[in-house]
Amino acid sequence: MPGFRRWSKSKFEKNPESSFKLLAAVLVITFYLIIKEFSNPVVRLSSRVPKYGAKIQYANHTSEWGRADQEKADKVREAMKYTFWKYREHAWGSDDILPVTGASSSLRNGWGAFIVDSVTTLVLMGLWDELALSVEHIVTVDFTKTDDLVDSFETTIRYLGGLVSLVDLYDAGVIPEDVITKEARDTILEQAVALANALAPAYDTPTGMPWPRIDFTASKGVLDPPASSPKNAKHKNSAIGPARAGSSILENRVLTRLTGDPIYARNSTLAWAPLVWSKWLRTYSGLVDAPIDIITGEPVGRQRHWDAGHDSYYEYLMKITLLAPPFDPYLEQYKEQFVKAARSLRENYASRSASAPNHTMQHLYLARGHEKWFINRQSHLACFAPGTLLLASKFYGKEYENLGLFAVALLEGCRHTYDSTPSKIGPEAWSWIPKFGYDEPVYSPTTRRAKEEWRASGFWSTDTQYKGRPEYIESLFYAYRITGESRFREWAWDAFVAIDKHCKAPYGYAQLADVYRVDPGQWSGDGKDRWTDMQESFWAAETLKYLWLTFSNANVASLDRWVFSTEGHPFRMIR
Ligand SMILES: *[C@@H]1O[C@H](CO)[C@@H](O)[C@H](O)[C@H]1NC(C)=O
Ligand SMILES: *[C@@H]1O[C@H](CO)[C@@H](O)[C@H](O)[C@H]1NC(C)=O
């Protein structure tokens, strides 16, 4: 670990130059937003192909590659209908249905998380009856009332993202007027504004970085878990990962565009400013050392990776350069930070697996750093990275093509985890033996099972579940739309067939306890114990949406016109 030694003596040093840059950046933001972005409402609504950056999709959709594979697209649409109607019949209005028992749960403040989160999937698939029912619910919810603490991150990406994306889709003219009227559209936007205003206390910190939770009744930000004494509120626990600071800017910029009120873009820009214009020396350029204290802005740990808790900060650094108008003065800074982070990731944490006795092929995975340790473990979440890297490699032009090669190699690694299990679904997390010894890995296969898996496939599972997650399929969607290679569509179909076969339960799509053990005969409870009785709303918001879009005509939600949030909600690129 060449970078580590520097840190072992003086832990968190400031970089004096960047302090000034951060201050300057912060001062300009508000002023700039008021003057430029919202001065011309007519221009705001036009939807042209961007001038900044290259075209993203492989070719125009009228050629062979862009045609829908209608039969497969329809099968996915059937799965969405099944998901919707089971929820409608048994759990309507609660946050989520429990797909095995048909009971329901409301752990997301009870505003109907499933309904709001799945609404943009319904639009793209043209499921108008289902959409009409969903809108009926959305316009009646009071998004400002809840007795439970509100998770600012989850609420922004699932609820706020779904609402503003729905308005954007309406404004783009893709929803029939008898499904959503102009009045309903305005009410949905009002609901988004009410929610965003209720979330406002999140940004009331000395740094502008968000509180992890908000108490809506008291209108103030709190820690998670809430501090038991005021002393706790100072430092203990007041640290968050980069994803929490950096995953509200897309949603809030769209809200600012839709309302003309600069406060949302301002606050969400300030929320990640301490990361983008970091005044702390970093172990590796572009890669955030985390967690970071929201009170002081200081890194209080040294975890570095693109995996859970960090992921969408890097995703949004790239995607804001797609969404923001070309005159945004920070585009170059965002792009530079993203490219630096991507290069640091490749140089330090891309790790090829060594050959195993019965599997000589070597695959590329994403490791993590923590203090001096090299953690040879990747989770399914990090399979989002190929998609985002491919977007960058195409949009930023020829010079960045090697990021695309890196991305495809990572995607092939994710594919290998799917292809190696009996269910043909990849595990939640896995480890491997790095080919290069200097990596000094933390993990090695110790149990009999781990050794067997490693011998057969060159990696072993460290968490055997499948949670209905989208990231692998999401990256296949980007890979197909960007490269036009038919193998990515085939892999997406393989994944759908496997998931449909093993996860489809009496009341929805269940999670799997063990992707290596899916034969009902291996389990008790009439085989039902192979399932975990949960169906997260991202199953409908993302997994099914990206599957369907991979088989639909490539003109639907074209990557040259739409930017997908980290929850799969499409926003219009307006330039
Ligand atoms: C798309 O490509 C086809 C040929 O594959 C061409 O005939 C057509 O003009 C192109 N359309 C646009 C809008 O570029
Ligand atoms: C914006 O951030 C300030 C703190 O800088 C906070 O007081 C205010 O409530 C926030 N407003 C919104 C709409 O987020």
Side-chain angles (χ1 to χ4, degrees):
M1 298 299 298
F4 173 65
R5 224 155 280 131
R6 267 199 289 146
W7 291 110
S8 43
K9 286 203 189 102
S10 57
K11 267 193 111 182
F12 305 113
E13 278 176 63
K14 276 191 189 176
N15 176 350
E17 268 175 56
S18 311
S19 300
F20 171 74
K21 284 191 203 152
L22 171 65
L23 184 65
V26 162
L27 287 176
V28 176
I29 288 165
T30 314
F31 175 70
Y32 149 74
L33 284 168
I34 297 168
I35 301 300
K36 277 283 191 184
E37 192 166 0
F38 317 105
S39 50
N40 186 342
V42 179
V43 170
R44 282 199 268 128
L45 292 178
S46 73
S47 183
R48 283 171 281 125
V49 175
K51 283 196 214 87
Y52 171 93
K55 263 190 82 94
I56 295 170
Q57 295 212 138
Y58 172 62
N60 89 42
H61 65 278
T62 56
S63 44
E64 179 63 31
W65 81 281
R67 248 172 251 150
D69 187 331
Q70 204 56 53
E71 207 179 304
K72 295 191 169 80
D74 287 346
K75 285 266 163 46
V76 178
R77 197 166 175 270
E78 284 307 312
M80 181 63 201
K81 281 171 94 165
Y82 180 79
T83 302
F84 180 91
W85 285 103
K86 290 296 174 188
Y87 169 87
R88 165 78 187 170
E89 283 155 17
H90 301 278
W92 189 252
S94 65
D95 282 338
D96 293 291
I97 194 166
L98 304 185
V100 180
T101 54
S104 57
S105 84
S106 280
L107 301 173
R108 304 209 180 276
N109 308 100
W111 301 318
F114 174 88
I115 299 174
V116 182
D117 215 10
S118 65
V119 89
T120 60
T121 301
L122 298 177
V123 172
L124 294 178
M125 293 182 178
L127 291 170
W128 305 128
D129 294 342
E130 291 81 353
L131 180 64
L133 291 167
S134 300
V135 170
E136 254 175 47
H137 173 84
I138 287 172
V139 297
T140 61
V141 176
D142 186 347
F143 288 103
T144 66
K145 292 257 167 0
T146 175
D147 293 332
D148 300 328
L149 290 180
V150 177
D151 183 319
S152 47
F153 168 77
E154 296 287 354
T155 305
T156 298
I157 65 171
R158 299 194 201 218
Y159 283 110
L160 187 61
L163 294 173
V164 294
S165 174
L166 187 55
V167 175
D168 243 8
L169 286 161
Y170 174 91
D171 290 351
V174 299
I175 304 171
E177 189 66 31
D178 59 341
V179 178
I180 296 187
T181 60
K182 174 75 169 66
E183 291 71 46
R185 176 259 185 219
D186 291 345
T187 307
I188 296 163
L189 182 55
E190 280 163 23
Q191 293 285 60
V193 169
L195 177 57
N197 290 343
L199 289 169
Y203 300 102
D204 259 325
T205 59
T207 57
M209 293 174 72
W211 291 98
R213 297 289 184 281
I214 306 155
D215 178 340
F216 271 20
T217 318
S219 258
K220 68 184 196 33
V222 292
L223 298 172
D224 174 47
S228 48
S229 72
K231 211 169 60 195
N232 272 359
K234 275 265 152 53
H235 282 287
K236 249 199 184 159
N237 236 338
S238 57
I240 60 173
R244 285 195 168 273
S247 310
S248 62
I249 193 155
L250 294 185
E251 289 79 359
N252 280 287
R253 274 198 92 122
V254 174
L255 187 57
T256 280
R257 165 163 56 72
L258 291 170
T259 58
D261 186 343
I263 189 70
Y264 309 110
R266 174 193 178 271
N267 278 9
S268 60
T269 305
L270 292 174
W272 77 346
L275 275 58
V276 178
W277 291 271
S278 175
K279 58 182 184 178
W280 302 93
L281 287 174
R282 285 177 171 165
T283 309
Y284 298 122
S285 129
L287 281 185
V288 175
D289 290 285
I292 301 159
D293 192 311
I294 59 171
I295 309 295
T296 62
E298 182 177 346
V300 295
R302 293 226 170 265
Q303 300 179 17
R304 299 170 294 277
H305 54 76
W306 280 32
D307 215 299
H310 296 214
D311 40 14
S312 44
Y313 164 68
Y314 300 106
E315 181 185 351
Y316 275 27
L317 266 184
M318 195 285 133
K319 287 181 173 175
I320 191 70
T321 66
L322 297 170
L323 190 80
F327 47 73
D328 184 316
Y330 304 128
L331 283 183
E332 280 308 316
Q333 172 69 1
Y334 295 145
K335 175 178 168 183
E336 187 187 318
Q337 286 300 310
F338 176 80
V339 170
K340 278 184 176 165
R343 291 192 171 137
S344 289
L345 181 75
R346 189 181 54 190
E347 282 159 21
N348 299 289
Y349 297 116
S351 170
R352 200 162 281 286
S353 61
S355 294
N358 302 324
H359 185 81
T360 50
M361 224 176 128
Q362 302 164 348
H363 301 271
L364 200 64
Y365 300 121
L366 283 177
R368 315 179 203 183
H370 184 192
E371 303 286 354
K372 63 181 175 174
W373 298 290
F374 182 88
I375 302 178
N376 50 327
R377 185 185 151 129
Q378 178 178 342
S379 76
H380 188 283
L381 286 164
C383 289
F384 89 96
T388 298
L389 290 164
L390 273 164
L391 274 176
S393 78
K394 194 73 187 287
F395 189 63
Y396 297 158
K398 273 220 163 341
E399 209 189 315
Y400 298 90
E401 265 173 10
N402 55 0
L403 287 183
L405 299 178
F406 173 41
V408 170
L410 290 175
L411 185 51
E412 286 166 350
C414 294
R415 153 78 177 172
H416 178 61
T417 67
Y418 271 64
D419 202 33
S420 303
T421 70
S423 63
K424 300 293 168 194
I425 300 170
E428 171 75 0
W430 62 93
S431 283
W432 61 96
I433 295 176
K435 184 176 173 184
F436 300 107
Y438 62 75
D439 287 342
E440 293 172 45
V442 166
Y443 296 106
S444 51
T446 49
T447 65
R448 205 179 115 200
R449 173 173 174 172
K451 283 178 189 148
E452 267 168 30
E453 286 176 14
W454 172 70
R455 263 187 235 116
S457 62
F459 72 91
W460 67 96
S461 58
T462 53
D463 182 340
T464 60
Q465 302 176 80
Y466 174 64
K467 299 186 169 182
R469 290 198 194 282
E471 291 76 17
Y472 165 62
I473 288 161
E474 168 186 347
S475 282
L476 290 177
F477 158 69
Y478 285 110
Y480 184 67
R481 289 282 183 97
I482 290 171
T483 70
E485 285 178 37
S486 55
R487 62 175 171 149
F488 298 121
R489 250 189 184 173
E490 287 155 20
W491 295 357
W493 183 245
D494 292 346
F496 175 72
V497 169
I499 294 169
D500 193 51
K501 176 171 174 196
H502 297 298
C503 301
K504 192 170 183 180
Y507 301 95
Y509 283 80
Q511 303 184 0
L512 298 176
D514 187 341
V515 294
Y516 290 79
R517 280 175 72 216
V518 282
D519 178 0
Q522 292 171 298
W523 293 86
S524 52
D526 287 337
K528 281 204 180 106
D529 290 355
R530 70 184 188 282
W531 287 324
T532 303
D533 199 5
M534 282 229 288
Q535 178 191 274
E536 283 259 22
S537 61
F538 52 66
W539 161 253
E542 298 185 75
T543 314
L544 287 172
K545 179 187 283 133
Y546 289 128
L547 276 167
W548 186 80
L549 286 172
T550 306
F551 303 116
S552 70
N553 186 295
N555 194 37
V556 180
S558 163
L559 294 179
D560 289 307
R561 292 176 201 286
W562 297 87
V563 186
F564 289 87
S565 78
T566 193
E567 189 69 8
H569 297 301
F571 303 134
R572 291 196 295 166
M573 266 184 211
I574 292 181
R575 291 166 182 283

